[in-house]
Amino acid sequence: MAQVVCLFLLLLCAAAPVSAAPTGSGYLSGTGRFWHITDLHLDPTYHLAQDPSKVCFSSKGAPATQAGLYGDFLCDSPYSLIQSAFANMAPLTQPQDFIIWTGDSPPHVPPDELSTDLVIQVISNMTQTITHHFPNLTVFPALGNHDYWPQDQMPDSSNAIYKAAAALWKAWLDPEALSTLSEGGFYSQLVKPGLRLVSLNTILYYGPDKVTSNMTDPAGQFEWLEKTLEKAAQSQEKVYVIAHVPVGYLPFVGNTTAITVRHNERLVAIFRKYSHVVAGQFYGHTHRDSIMVLLDEHGNPVNSLFVSPAVTPIKSFWEPYSNNPGFRMYLYNNKDYGVMDIWQYYLNLTEANEKQRSDWRLEYIMTEAFGLSDLQPKSLLQLGLSFMLPQTKAFDKYFSHFMVSYDNSIVCHGSCKVHQVCAVLYLDELSYNKCAASADW
């Protein structure tokens, strides 16, 4: 209980904003832009301590020996890191931009160190921080598996957290969106004429969610999604899908879907059916930077999917690598809303701590990094297939980006590469298994 009180008091405190931002980026005519932030995972207990095992609750006792002003790779985000990310991102935004925020505000701590009220307080704190830095931009949030207490156990009906989220986000969302958000944790809203955004609650399909594990269509979200996409098609709208936990297979472990296999198959089928409507899919959760391309039943590329890296740099003590903190901008075509490019920004955490200054930099522009004309499904398929070539530099670069330039000496060969490449190219069970079984590259 003392730790819970400690967390609550720390949540009410705010660090001073960090002021160092990259210069503005160019703007192409006929295009629009939006920004993606995800997995903030605020740890309000983070502090510099003589005992490295006491730096943060989120390290779970592991010694955070490299702790500095902006965090440690064994800890979730200190408030100073999140403030730094937003302070550096804000000058790069344009008035017509919008932001997607794909969930997970609370830290990775045991359930008894949190509560429903504390989770709501963290989400409120992050909502206020985002509003402070981006007062004139619309933000479209999605709920993450840590945005509930106990974590992962999202119910299929209205509850205190869904209702709190709707109340906190009412400045960004319209009444119809707020209604479905408060009932099931998902919503749809028109971004502008011709472009609709669908925010899914994929925690309802997440393996650890025992509340919905025996349900065929938790909260009726599948039925709602198909009706929403059908109506968008009839209205000649394109749709961006956002969610926390992605569809498809995890790229860092073999034969494991991010959501349950049966729910993954259902979502893949829906996205294939409405691939002419869905112009892009955007996720978080893994903390790493990855792409996927959805193929139809005949192997044709029909959808581009993007998983954005996290702001939090946390890893477990035994993991060989983590990610540097990141945020990104997407460039899209104003006519068909196809994704044209990614501008990925990052903070070298080790360097920032050494200099006690946060120099966020452009890590890469995706079309330039891989020699692509755009990020449409055909382009992503060609890129994914190129990863299979022997001694390809493209895959090595992709894996470096996967870690957000954490450590370029770490290589991904053998089964590591098979897991990565098959996850890029194959989202359904049958084709993924074929890829994994036949890989000889």
Side-chain angles (χ1 to χ4, degrees):
M1 177 58 72
Q3 287 181 326
V4 170
V5 173
C6 173
L7 258 173
F8 184 79
L9 291 173
L10 284 160
L11 278 165
L12 301 179
C13 302
V18 180
S19 59
T23 55
S25 56
Y27 207 97
L28 300 175
S29 61
T31 64
R33 316 181 327 167
F34 64 97
W35 298 80
H36 192 171
I37 54 177
T38 194
D39 294 270
L40 303 176
H41 287 293
L42 170 68
D43 187 341
T45 70
Y46 184 93
H47 67 292
L48 301 182
Q50 284 191 326
D51 182 349
S53 68
K54 300 287 195 295
V55 169
C56 61
F57 284 3
S58 49
S59 77
K60 301 177 177 68
T65 56
Q66 306 300 315
L69 177 61
Y70 298 103
D72 185 278
F73 286 111
L74 292 179
C75 295
D76 271 320
S77 303
Y79 194 70
S80 57
L81 174 62
I82 295 169
Q83 286 271 43
S84 164
F86 296 163
N88 280 267
M89 178 176 144
L92 301 173
T93 62
Q94 302 278 353
Q96 58 270 60
D97 296 350
F98 63 91
I99 298 171
I100 60 173
W101 171 25
T102 51
D104 267 12
S105 292
H108 296 83
V109 294
D112 60 0
E113 290 177 5
L114 288 172
S115 66
T116 294
D117 287 344
L118 274 174
V119 166
I120 292 171
Q121 180 64 46
V122 176
I123 297 171
S124 174
N125 181 296
M126 292 297 91
T127 300
Q128 291 173 41
T129 302
I130 291 168
T131 302
H132 170 76
H133 285 280
F134 310 99
N136 300 315
L137 298 188
T138 300
V139 181
F140 297 103
L143 289 167
N145 56 300
H146 284 268
D147 296 324
Y148 196 77
W149 188 85
Q151 69 182 52
D152 308 331
Q153 305 309 310
M154 286 268 188
D156 71 327
S157 58
S158 187
N159 57 77
I161 287 179
Y162 292 175
K163 289 178 180 177
L168 289 167
W169 300 338
K170 63 183 178 182
W172 298 326
L173 304 179
D174 62 31
E176 185 180 352
L178 293 170
S179 176
T180 57
L181 174 61
S182 64
E183 291 299 319
F186 53 86
Y187 64 88
S188 165
Q189 182 160 315
L190 201 65
V191 178
K192 58 183 181 178
L195 178 62
R196 177 169 296 279
L197 183 137
V198 166
S199 179
L200 293 179
N201 181 1
T202 49
I203 319 309
L204 297 174
Y205 315 134
Y206 190 42
D209 190 348
K210 304 307 178 190
V211 179
T212 60
S213 59
N214 294 321
M215 298 180 185
T216 304
D217 185 8
Q221 186 174 220
F222 284 135
E223 182 182 358
W224 171 87
L225 174 61
E226 291 207 63
K227 287 181 178 178
T228 301
L229 293 176
E230 184 61 43
K231 187 176 179 181
Q234 293 171 2
S235 303
Q236 295 186 309
E237 296 168 351
K238 293 293 185 180
V239 172
Y240 285 158
V241 174
I242 71 169
H244 182 67
V245 182
V247 294
Y249 282 75
L250 295 172
F252 47 81
V253 62
N255 197 30
T256 305
T257 49
I259 57 177
T260 65
V261 173
R262 62 194 177 90
H263 289 134
N264 185 67
E265 294 294 300
R266 180 85 179 267
L267 266 185
V268 166
I270 292 172
F271 290 142
R272 280 174 170 164
K273 180 179 178 181
Y274 291 98
S275 61
H276 61 295
V277 179
V278 177
Q281 299 181 43
F282 310 92
Y283 301 97
H285 182 62
T286 68
H287 296 192
R288 310 290 189 257
D289 182 347
S290 64
I291 59 169
M292 291 177 277
V293 55
L294 177 64
L295 309 180
D296 66 15
E297 295 87 344
H298 308 291
N300 300 310
V302 293
N303 245 195
S304 298
L305 300 86
F306 306 93
V307 181
S308 180
V311 171
T312 184
I314 196 169
K315 73 178 187 71
S316 72
F317 183 76
W318 302 108
E319 282 183 281
Y321 58 83
S322 189
N323 60 283
N324 276 307
F327 62 79
R328 63 172 42 169
M329 180 196 81
Y330 295 96
L331 193 71
Y332 64 87
N333 185 312
N334 260 330
K335 291 183 179 178
D336 64 6
Y337 300 104
V339 180
M340 296 175 63
D341 219 339
I342 290 172
W343 291 49
Q344 178 66 45
Y345 295 86
Y346 83 113
L347 179 69
N348 183 318
L349 182 60
T350 304
E351 179 187 274
N353 282 337
E354 288 172 354
K355 294 183 176 180
Q356 296 195 25
R357 187 179 72 244
S358 61
D359 296 325
W360 288 78
R361 302 188 188 100
L362 182 65
E363 184 189 16
Y364 68 85
I365 300 172
M366 191 160 181
T367 55
E368 293 182 6
F370 296 104
L372 305 173
S373 58
D374 54 41
L375 304 186
Q376 293 289 72
K378 184 178 179 181
S379 298
L380 293 192
L381 175 59
Q382 290 172 342
L383 179 61
L385 292 173
S386 77
F387 293 162
M388 297 181 178
L389 300 174
Q391 300 177 330
T392 174
K393 292 285 193 290
F395 177 76
D396 294 339
K397 184 181 292 185
Y398 176 79
F399 188 71
S400 176
H401 293 169
F402 178 76
M403 301 181 290
V404 197
S405 299
Y406 173 78
D407 183 350
N408 289 337
S409 70
I410 297 175
V411 295
C412 180
H413 296 149
S415 61
C416 172
K417 185 174 180 180
V418 170
H419 299 159
Q420 287 278 343
V421 177
C422 291
V424 169
L425 295 169
Y426 302 105
L427 279 65
D428 64 285
E429 185 176 24
L430 182 62
S431 62
Y432 177 90
N433 287 339
K434 283 183 179 178
C435 175
S438 62
D440 56 359
W441 25 269

